[in-house]
Amino acid sequence: EVQLVESGGGLVQPGGSLRLSCAASGFTFSSYAMSWVRQAPGKGLEWVSAISGSGGSTYYADSVKGRFTISRDNSKNTLYLQMNSLRAEDTAVYYCAKDREVATITEIDYWGQGTLVTVSS
Amino acid sequence: DIQLTQSPSFLSASVGDRVTITCRASQGISSYLAWYQQKPGKAPKLLIYAASTLQSGVPSRFSGSGSGTEFTLTISSLQPEDFATYYCQQLNSYPFTFGPGTKVDIK
């Protein structure tokens, strides 16, 4: 059974940093691209970032480029999102997500339960 | 970046109704479109990928069509468990944008 468990969310002041983690199990982690998607309270889904299975290719939304860094440790089956220079508008539930297909970046077929990040003074 | 619009943004329907949601892309995306369903407090669920391919385990009352810039999600006979918000997502080019969502509510 595929499981994605996020951690690391919480309250942070504007300008601060936070690192999210996502522990994956139930599939060959290194074979799949992974993504982060966020959802501000009461709002729609926003794609944030994606990373290839090897970690060699990364992609970002314009809204987070230069501030967020996606990475993965395939030996630990863990996905990360390092978030720096946080702003109030980054407040959201952050979902870790697995791509549907092996060896390419595609749509998402599994999602974690989400972790809430609140940026406020 | 490719922008997606969805219409309607809100839809009130009854059990048994046929429901159609449209997603339009700001430029051609071939068939690189997925549809998701999200219920309150839950993570989204993949319904359709490649514009018209039903994800495993999804009821056959859901169907998708379209290519290029215009796509539709159809629910042939709305069931109580289908009341939710539906999002399209383009996977033609980065960033992989989502549409703003269509909320399907009970009439």
Side-chain angles (χ1 to χ4, degrees), chain A residues 37 39 43-47 50 59-62 95 100 105-109 111-113, chain B residues 1 34 36 38 42-46 49-50 55 87 89 91 94-100:
Chain A
V37 175
Q39 187 167 35
K43 302 298 184 182
L45 302 171
E46 182 184 9
W47 180 87
Y59 309 89
Y60 298 94
D62 291 344
Y95 292 102
R100 183 186 61 82
I105 296 183
T106 62
E107 54 282 322
I108 292 163
D109 65 350
W111 303 68
Q113 83 287 353
Chain B
D1 297 359
Y36 301 87
Q38 187 180 34
K42 300 293 187 182
K45 173 186 173 183
L46 178 64
Y49 62 93
Q55 170 69 350
Y87 296 93
Q89 183 195 23
L91 299 112
Y94 292 102
F96 285 170
T97 43
F98 286 91

Side-chain angles (χ1 to χ4, degrees), chain B residues 53-77:
Chain B
T53 303
L54 196 67
Q55 170 69 350
S56 175
V58 174
S60 59
R61 63 181 179 273
F62 290 93
S63 64
S65 65
S67 67
T69 61
E70 188 157 331
F71 303 84
T72 59
L73 172 71
T74 300
I75 309 172
S76 60
S77 178

Side-chain angles (χ1 to χ4, degrees), chain A residues 45-77:
Chain A
L45 302 171
E46 182 184 9
W47 180 87
V48 173
S49 184
I51 186 168
S52 62
S54 67
S57 297
T58 58
Y59 309 89
Y60 298 94
D62 291 344
S63 58
V64 307
K65 201 174 295 182
R67 300 187 299 122
F68 289 12
T69 302
I70 191 171
S71 62
R72 63 193 297 161
D73 185 336
N74 286 344
S75 69
K76 295 182 179 178
N77 288 355

Side-chain angles (χ1 to χ4, degrees), chain B residues 5-48:
Chain B
T5 59
Q6 288 183 234
S7 59
S9 54
F10 180 84
L11 187 161
S12 185
S14 302
V15 172
D17 283 353
R18 181 182 181 89
V19 166
T20 298
I21 298 168
T22 299
C23 177
R24 291 185 175 86
S26 59
Q27 63 191 74
I29 59 171
S30 185
S31 296
Y32 294 107
L33 190 98
W35 289 97
Y36 301 87
Q37 175 194 67
Q38 187 180 34
K39 297 181 180 179
K42 300 293 187 182
K45 173 186 173 183
L46 178 64
L47 300 175
I48 302 280

